[in-house]
Amino acid sequence: MNRATPLDDDARYRALCSHDARFDGRFFVGVTSTGIYCRPVCRVRTPRRENCRFFNHAAQAEQAGFRPCLRCRPELAPLDRHWSAEDAGAILACQAMRLLDDPQSWSTAWADGTAIRRLSERLGVSDRHLRRIFEAHIGVSPQRYVQTRKLLSAKQLLADTRLPVSQVAQASGFASLRRFNGAIQARYGLSPTQMRRSQSAPSGREAEHAGATVHLSWRPPYDAVAMLTFLAQRQLPGVEWVQPEALRLHRTVRLVVGGETHSGWLVAQFEPAAHRLALRVSDSLHTVLPSLIWRVRALLDLDADPQAINAVLHPHFPTGDGLRVPGGLDGFELAVRAVLGQQVTVAAARTLAQRLVERWGEPLVTPFASLHRLFPSAHTLASADPQALGELGIVRQRQAAIQALARAVTDGSLDLGGQADLSSTLQTLQALPGIGPWTAQYIALRALRWPDAWPTGDVALHQALGLNHRLGAATQRQAKRLASAWQPWRSYAVLRAWAGTYQAPATTDPPKDSL
């Protein structure tokens, strides 16, 4: 995949001097005079150029002996999503890095070496080859990369929650409290308790009433109103409450982490001036915060790199630079809603999904009158009476598709998580009754977070592109040819077309990734 133009160190220093949020997470700067590394948005006094060392990843800075800044907090930076098409090794390294960013990969298996073997098997290479490629392109070993991710996650929990240190260690993937304390002390020179005090974690009654609130950053531009409007048009009362005018999203959550189910609620408040999101969660979700943060980042597409995407799409979508691709907190829920949306309007699909929630959604107590149910689980819908589904107005073909999806997820033959293998998941989906190319691509676009999905045969997309959808296969071929110029970001092109921002090729230059 393409990425934005690589930055040299002089360009990075200019970005640091201007605190340019467009480059947040794309590099980190280590200050040799202090031994601290920062994000480019850090508001401390800018160090002299000769005192700066630049790194592509936080793990590189920590391997070089730098400690994270307690003011700009590198753990809050957007994740690196720079995919490269330079060579097979770069692609493999980026795929491995994305898999390792998932908190559910931070298992204790790293201690005995089995995790790297499973990762290499997943990627179809030997563990020796994976280590060599990862170090060549990322600059650190996979073990070092995971250790940094775990430590930064723990640092965030220590700063923003009142979780006991033992629970912070467990949530961050450490095998024992002793190992956790040792890792924090060795890397940061502080005990977990000292780090918590130094970062001013919420305390007393404030923490009790506010709940755990963490902050998640993004790179501008980001059109938060458009994102929330898209979600509001599809919201399910009882499960979601979206307020685009207030830049706020509420919803119920069910997470399965380590074989255990956790249920609760979240409130996401956009803070555009600071290019960040304030995420407040119920007490019941505190111990799985890293996994929840991961899913919220995917739901709201917080890790996208607009510089790379807009360099490809801006000529055809000049007013869509801030649009992102909405994801989902739960892949099964999104897949069911995609099936219900086949060949009907958004409003009709929402009505059917609402009936499903009212009939089988598990009740949940929350502080918000508008939130009181969870979306039905795969196990529940797999065992539902087809006649009862029919009574909700769901036709037989979609009944069969929903229950086939539910059974496949329940028995483990179908993975709809953000880290699922794309090719095998698409094949499995289309082998199910009632799941065609459009539905599979839509699920890939939102649940699998594939940036190059293309929902074949989408009438609204064809209309937005000015094509005659009545021509059938000919229109699909024409749309595919047109979209070839948008690879590898066709998912973003789809959202921009649906939003009505498509224009014929412009003669203006694409946005520059420079200062």
Side-chain angles (χ1 to χ4, degrees):
M1 292 185 180
N2 297 330
R3 59 168 295 171
T5 305
L7 299 172
D8 60 31
D9 286 353
D10 288 337
R12 290 172 169 177
Y13 188 70
R14 291 194 295 272
L16 177 66
C17 291
S18 60
H19 312 294
D20 196 329
R22 294 178 301 162
F23 302 94
D24 193 10
R26 285 191 58 187
F27 71 86
F28 297 88
V29 56
V31 184
T32 57
S33 58
T34 64
I36 301 295
Y37 75 94
C38 300
R39 301 155 62 190
V41 297
C42 191
R43 290 290 174 173
V44 299
R45 181 178 178 181
T46 304
R48 298 175 63 177
R49 173 68 179 81
E50 59 266 27
N51 291 334
C52 295
R53 289 183 60 188
F54 297 97
F55 304 93
N56 291 330
H57 307 287
Q60 294 175 342
E62 297 205 1
Q63 180 170 263
F66 292 93
R67 303 185 310 277
C69 176
L70 296 180
R71 182 166 180 178
C72 70
R73 301 178 57 189
E75 70 270 18
L76 304 185
L79 295 176
D80 187 5
R81 286 293 173 263
H82 296 156
W83 295 78
S84 173
E86 297 169 358
D87 57 56
I91 294 172
L92 178 66
C94 289
Q95 289 174 332
M97 184 175 66
R98 175 165 181 165
L99 290 171
L100 295 179
D101 282 335
D102 185 349
Q104 296 211 50
S105 73
W106 304 345
S107 68
T108 56
W110 284 99
D112 60 21
T114 59
I116 187 68
R117 187 177 68 248
R118 292 201 305 269
L119 177 63
S120 59
E121 289 173 352
R122 165 78 182 270
L123 295 171
V125 297
S126 69
D127 53 356
R128 180 180 179 182
H129 181 68
L130 177 60
R131 287 191 181 95
R132 181 171 57 82
I133 290 295
F134 200 91
E135 293 196 29
H137 291 276
I138 307 301
V140 297
S141 69
Q143 290 89 339
R144 170 73 73 166
Y145 186 85
V146 169
Q147 184 78 342
T148 299
R149 295 286 294 121
K150 290 163 64 173
L151 286 170
L152 290 178
S153 175
K155 183 175 178 292
Q156 182 173 24
L157 297 185
L158 289 170
D160 295 336
T161 78
R162 296 305 302 174
L163 274 177
V165 172
S166 60
Q167 292 186 24
V168 171
Q170 181 180 11
S172 302
F174 286 88
S176 69
L177 182 59
R178 179 181 61 82
R179 288 185 177 179
F180 174 64
N181 289 336
I184 291 285
Q185 185 71 49
R187 188 70 65 87
Y188 300 147
L190 298 171
S191 70
T193 302
Q194 290 172 324
M195 178 167 283
R196 169 164 276 168
R197 283 200 296 265
S198 70
Q199 297 191 133
S200 303
S203 60
R205 295 184 61 84
E206 177 186 357
E208 177 183 343
H209 290 289
T213 300
V214 296
H215 290 93
L216 317 176
S217 298
W218 69 73
R219 303 176 188 91
Y222 188 115
D223 192 335
V225 172
M227 170 64 76
L228 291 175
T229 298
F230 182 96
L231 296 175
Q233 291 169 345
R234 294 158 177 81
Q235 69 179 329
L236 301 179
V239 174
E240 303 160 300
W241 175 29
V242 188
Q243 299 172 284
E245 68 287 349
L247 300 180
R248 189 180 303 123
L249 162 71
H250 308 68
R251 71 155 292 153
T252 61
V253 179
R254 180 195 293 109
L255 287 182
V256 179
V257 178
E260 296 184 6
T261 300
H262 304 260
S263 301
W265 52 265
L266 65 81
V267 180
Q269 177 69 60
F270 284 85
E271 299 176 355
H275 310 300
R276 71 181 188 182
L277 182 86
L279 176 65
R280 178 185 167 204
V281 305
S282 62
D283 292 345
S284 58
L285 298 173
H286 286 189
T287 56
V288 290
L289 255 177
S291 290
L292 179 60
I293 289 170
W294 167 262
R295 295 201 188 193
V296 170
R297 299 198 72 89
L299 167 67
L300 301 174
D301 201 12
L302 299 181
D303 295 317
D305 182 5
Q307 296 290 318
I309 298 167
N310 294 337
V312 174
L313 299 186
H314 183 84
H316 284 196
F317 304 92
T319 61
D321 287 355
L323 296 178
R324 303 288 176 97
V325 176
L329 284 180
D330 181 87
F332 172 70
E333 173 189 329
L334 199 144
V336 170
R337 294 170 72 162
V339 169
L340 294 175
Q342 292 172 346
Q343 299 178 336
V344 298
T345 65
V346 170
R350 186 177 63 242
T351 297
L352 293 174
Q354 181 61 34
R355 293 172 183 169
L356 208 64
V357 168
E358 292 170 353
R359 176 64 177 82
W360 283 290
E362 179 184 341
L364 182 71
V365 177
T366 77
F368 312 102
S370 298
L371 296 183
H372 49 79
R373 285 190 181 275
L374 296 164
F375 192 85
S377 68
H379 182 271
T380 297
L381 292 183
S383 58
D385 182 357
Q387 183 176 347
L389 287 169
E391 291 171 354
L392 302 182
I394 302 173
V395 299
R396 288 184 180 178
Q397 184 181 20
R398 295 189 184 94
Q399 293 173 28
I402 289 171
Q403 295 205 288
L405 273 170
R407 286 190 290 268
V409 169
T410 300
D411 66 24
S413 61
L414 177 63
D415 180 6
L416 293 174
Q419 301 291 36
D421 179 76
L422 176 67
S423 178
S424 62
T425 302
L426 288 176
Q427 285 184 336
T428 302
L429 279 170
Q430 293 187 74
L432 298 176
I435 306 290
W438 180 91
T439 306
Q441 290 288 317
Y442 184 81
I443 293 171
L445 183 148
R446 297 193 58 192
L448 305 185
R449 304 304 307 159
W450 187 31
D452 200 35
W454 186 253
T456 303
D458 188 280
V459 173
L461 176 60
H462 294 164
Q463 292 176 333
L465 297 177
L467 304 178
N468 185 353
H469 67 275
R470 293 185 178 86
L471 298 180
T475 300
Q476 294 184 33
R477 289 193 296 270
Q478 187 179 359
K480 190 173 182 178
R481 284 195 299 270
L482 180 64
S484 63
W486 305 329
Q487 292 178 302
W489 308 112
R490 289 184 299 177
S491 294
Y492 291 87
V494 170
L495 263 293
R496 296 179 188 204
W498 283 345
T501 66
Y502 173 72
Q503 293 184 17
T507 57
T508 56
D509 294 331
K512 302 295 184 182
D513 185 21
S514 59
L515 297 172

